[in-house]
Amino acid sequence: MVSDSPTSSPEPAPPTPEPAPASDADRLADDSALAAALRRIDRALGRLEQAGMVLLLAVLVVVAASTVVIQVSWADEAIRYGVFAMAMIGGAYATHHQRLLSMDVVSRNLGARGRAWLRVVLALFTLAMTGVLFQGGLQIFALQGSVHQAGKIPTTVPALFIPIGMALIGLHLALQAAIELDYLRRGKLAPEPEPGAA
């Protein structure tokens, strides 16, 4: 006599979690709505800066490679000015990753809240310095526009990258300080940057 053994039905698979909406992709667990919005702006600027550096590097490689085949009278100027522009944008990109200025010797002796306040103070101090350099960059740009240009590429082109770089650095610093202050206002601590960052 054959007994029918009950067939075990497979267990239902757990529901697949839906992917987070694009607007929440960069949001950290303790971010308020304000901190999340500021973080999205900071990351979007960082992506633009990264794309700008890649584009500048590609142009520099093409210009340098073209000098092997043909004589390009303005190649030296383009490479020199391009490297300068990359340095300005690179400074802004380093600020986005919170690697522009740090005081590791001081921060080692502070608690988590003290390190958060130190980051705010450093950001505000550096923001003030970028304001001074922004003004200086505008003056250099105006001065270069008023002098006779001997080269093929106007010197106003690299001079323009000084205020652009300072404005981007200042914007990152303001956004990051605002995020830190938002956390401190709510009695929480923002996630600390990786070691070596401000």
Side-chain angles (χ1 to χ4, degrees):
M1 182 171 195
V2 178
S3 65
D4 292 326
S5 61
T7 58
S8 61
S9 61
E11 293 183 17
T16 307
E18 293 183 22
S23 61
D24 291 341
D26 293 336
R27 186 173 183 157
L28 300 181
D30 284 337
D31 273 358
S32 66
L34 174 63
L38 296 174
R39 199 178 301 280
R40 278 195 300 275
I41 295 168
D42 188 52
R43 288 181 175 162
L45 276 175
R47 290 184 193 109
L48 286 174
E49 290 154 2
Q50 187 177 32
M53 286 190 296
V54 168
L55 180 62
L56 277 170
L57 181 60
V59 169
L60 292 178
V61 168
V62 168
V63 170
S66 69
T67 59
V68 176
V69 180
I70 57 172
Q71 182 72 22
V72 182
S73 60
W74 46 266
D76 288 342
E77 284 177 287
I79 292 169
R80 202 166 51 244
Y81 296 164
V83 169
F84 180 77
M86 284 186 69
M88 292 293 102
I89 297 174
Y93 190 63
T95 308
H96 161 63
H97 285 287
Q98 296 182 326
R99 294 186 178 279
L100 184 66
L101 179 64
S102 66
M103 293 183 69
D104 292 335
V105 175
V106 175
S107 64
R108 284 185 202 139
N109 299 318
L110 297 173
R113 187 167 293 279
R115 286 192 299 273
W117 279 109
L118 178 63
R119 286 192 297 273
V120 170
V121 169
L122 283 175
L124 295 176
F125 169 77
T126 312
L127 185 59
M129 293 301 100
T130 57
V132 172
L133 292 172
F134 177 82
Q135 287 294 329
L138 289 177
Q139 291 175 0
I140 291 170
F141 177 74
L143 180 65
Q144 292 304 313
S146 64
V147 298
H148 173 69
Q149 302 291 321
K152 301 279 186 184
I153 302 173
T155 53
T156 52
V157 173
L160 184 60
F161 277 94
I162 299 172
I164 288 174
M166 292 305 108
L168 289 170
I169 289 171
L171 189 50
H172 281 299
L173 290 168
L175 290 167
Q176 291 164 7
I179 291 170
E180 290 278 0
L181 289 169
D182 178 66
Y183 268 82
L184 289 167
R185 177 185 62 82
R186 293 183 290 125
K188 297 186 175 188
L189 295 173
E192 294 199 27
E194 295 176 13

